[in-house]
Amino acid sequence: ATSASRNRVAQLLKSRAEALDSRVLAALAERVSAGSDPFAKVKKMIQDLIVRLMEEANEETEHKGWCDTELATNEKTRKQKTEAVETLQAEIDSLEASIAKLTEEVTELAADVSKLDKAMAEATELRTAEKSKNEATIKDAQEAQTAVEQALVVLKDFYSKAGGATAFVQQDAAAPEAPEIFDAPYKGMSGESGGVVGMLEVIESDFARLEADTKAAEATAQKEYDSFMTDSKVDKAAKTKDIEHKETKKQEQSKTLVVKKEDLEANQKELDAAVAYYDKLKPSCVDASVSFEDRVARREEEIKSLQEALQVLNGEDLP
């Protein structure tokens, strides 16, 4: 009976080993078939194997729970850190683009302010020279008018006195006979005095007109200069204010960029660590050739087969 039971158990274990592709049952079937172990030892081997398989099942269940928790946590961490890295990188790219644009705009504004300064300096230099020239012209014209006016006074006085003296002399003596070459009566120097005085009056008028025209030109030029300088100063003030605003914004963004880069570095390190930990989990939690469910089912079948083998050894009928 013992030999028959041993053979029956060996066949049972061998059959189940083939069906389940179980190396544990196959190895036990070979030992039972060899018949070298006492009957009691065979029963104990089967009992010990059942205990070991049940312990392995418990350990694997605990490991499966641990894997599920670790994988879920790791996946959440990798997702969060990936999103954080992508968001931070986008923010950094945006900040760098904004800072570059602000730098370019500040450079352009600074160049515009420099051009304004140069234009105002040149305008001031030209205005100063033009004003000096105009003032000199006006002064010369005024002095010339004064001189001509004084000359006219002297001439008019001279001719007036000369005319009076001639009239007085003619009262006592007959006027000299006119030279034979003159057809009209001789009238002394009265015609010459009118020509000289008239010429001087024209010159005085020319100088007066030069003074008036120069004053008008000076007033127009000064007005245009003042308008240009006012507009330029307003434009410069606006551009200078814009430069200050952009520089302040640039400094703020540069500080933010430093913080963002530090955050990116920290989050990237955490992401790298999470990825490395996932690679460490994969062999025991992800890359198993047989799924956890299949392993549980096979182990349950192995335990059931061993329990049936014990029943056979104990002389019990299988259900």
Side-chain angles (χ1 to χ4, degrees):
T2 301
S3 177
S5 297
R6 184 191 293 271
N7 290 334
R8 187 180 175 190
V9 167
Q11 289 299 320
L12 173 65
L13 293 174
K14 183 177 180 182
S15 174
R16 295 294 177 82
E18 292 175 356
L20 298 174
D21 191 23
S22 171
R23 287 178 292 178
V24 173
L25 295 181
L28 183 59
E30 289 182 6
R31 292 196 63 175
V32 172
S33 297
S36 57
D37 295 315
F39 189 76
K41 186 175 182 181
V42 172
K43 289 176 67 176
K44 189 173 186 310
M45 279 195 304
I46 294 175
Q47 291 170 342
D48 291 343
L49 190 53
I50 290 173
V51 171
R52 194 187 86 187
L53 290 175
M54 292 181 72
E55 289 175 349
E56 288 180 358
N58 290 334
E59 290 174 359
E60 187 161 17
T61 299
E62 291 178 0
H63 181 68
K64 176 65 166 55
W66 178 82
C67 280
D68 290 345
T69 300
E70 291 298 307
L71 287 171
T73 302
N74 180 262
E75 182 180 11
K76 183 179 179 181
T77 300
R78 284 185 290 118
K79 183 179 180 180
Q80 289 177 341
K81 295 307 173 182
T82 298
E83 291 176 354
V85 166
E86 291 175 351
T87 299
L88 286 166
Q89 187 60 61
E91 291 174 346
I92 288 171
D93 292 342
S94 177
L95 283 169
E96 288 178 339
S98 179
I99 290 170
K101 184 178 180 182
L102 286 169
T103 301
E104 182 179 353
E105 290 173 349
V106 167
T107 301
E108 291 176 356
L109 286 168
D112 290 342
V113 169
S114 179
K115 289 178 182 177
L116 284 171
D117 286 336
K118 183 180 179 182
M120 286 190 289
E122 290 176 350
T124 299
E125 183 179 356
L126 290 173
R127 178 83 278 273
T128 301
E130 185 180 29
K131 182 177 182 180
S132 177
K133 180 181 178 182
N134 287 338
E135 288 176 345
T137 300
I138 292 169
K139 181 181 179 182
D140 291 344
Q142 289 173 339
E143 290 176 349
Q145 289 178 77
T146 300
V148 170
E149 186 178 352
Q150 291 174 348
L152 283 171
V153 170
V154 171
L155 282 174
K156 286 179 180 179
D157 182 62
F158 170 76
Y159 285 123
S160 175
K161 289 179 179 180
T166 301
F168 177 76
V169 170
Q170 287 178 347
Q171 290 179 0
D172 297 329
E177 296 182 0
E180 296 180 358
I181 59 174
F182 291 106
D183 295 330
Y186 178 62
K187 297 181 180 180
M189 301 176 64
S190 62
E192 181 179 350
S193 66
V196 173
V197 169
M199 182 183 68
L200 288 176
E201 287 176 343
V202 169
I203 292 173
E204 182 183 24
S205 175
D206 288 343
F207 279 122
R209 185 168 56 254
L210 175 61
E211 178 187 0
D213 290 347
T214 304
K215 283 182 176 180
E218 170 63 21
T220 299
Q222 185 64 41
K223 183 178 179 181
E224 291 176 352
Y225 168 77
D226 291 341
S227 177
F228 170 76
M229 291 298 288
T230 298
D231 292 344
S232 296
K233 287 176 181 178
V234 169
D235 191 16
K236 179 182 177 181
K239 284 181 167 58
T240 302
K241 191 68 176 178
D242 201 11
I243 288 174
E244 292 174 358
H245 172 71
K246 291 182 184 297
E247 285 287 5
T248 299
K249 186 176 181 181
K250 179 182 172 183
Q251 290 174 1
E252 291 173 352
Q253 290 186 349
S254 296
K255 291 179 181 177
T256 302
L257 180 61
V258 171
V259 174
K260 293 292 183 182
K261 285 185 174 181
E262 290 174 351
D263 290 345
L264 175 61
E265 183 179 359
N267 277 274
Q268 186 63 58
K269 286 181 179 179
E270 292 177 8
L271 175 59
D272 292 342
V275 170
Y277 186 53
Y278 176 69
D279 290 338
K280 186 177 179 181
L281 289 173
K282 284 171 68 176
S284 63
C285 296
V286 180
D287 295 337
S289 58
V290 181
S291 69
F292 171 75
E293 290 75 13
D294 290 340
R295 290 198 302 276
V296 169
R298 187 173 68 179
R299 187 173 288 107
E300 288 177 350
E301 288 297 324
E302 288 174 339
I303 292 172
K304 182 179 179 182
S305 298
L306 291 171
Q307 289 172 339
E308 290 177 352
L310 277 179
Q311 288 178 316
V312 171
L313 291 175
N314 290 330
E316 300 175 9
D317 294 330
L318 296 178

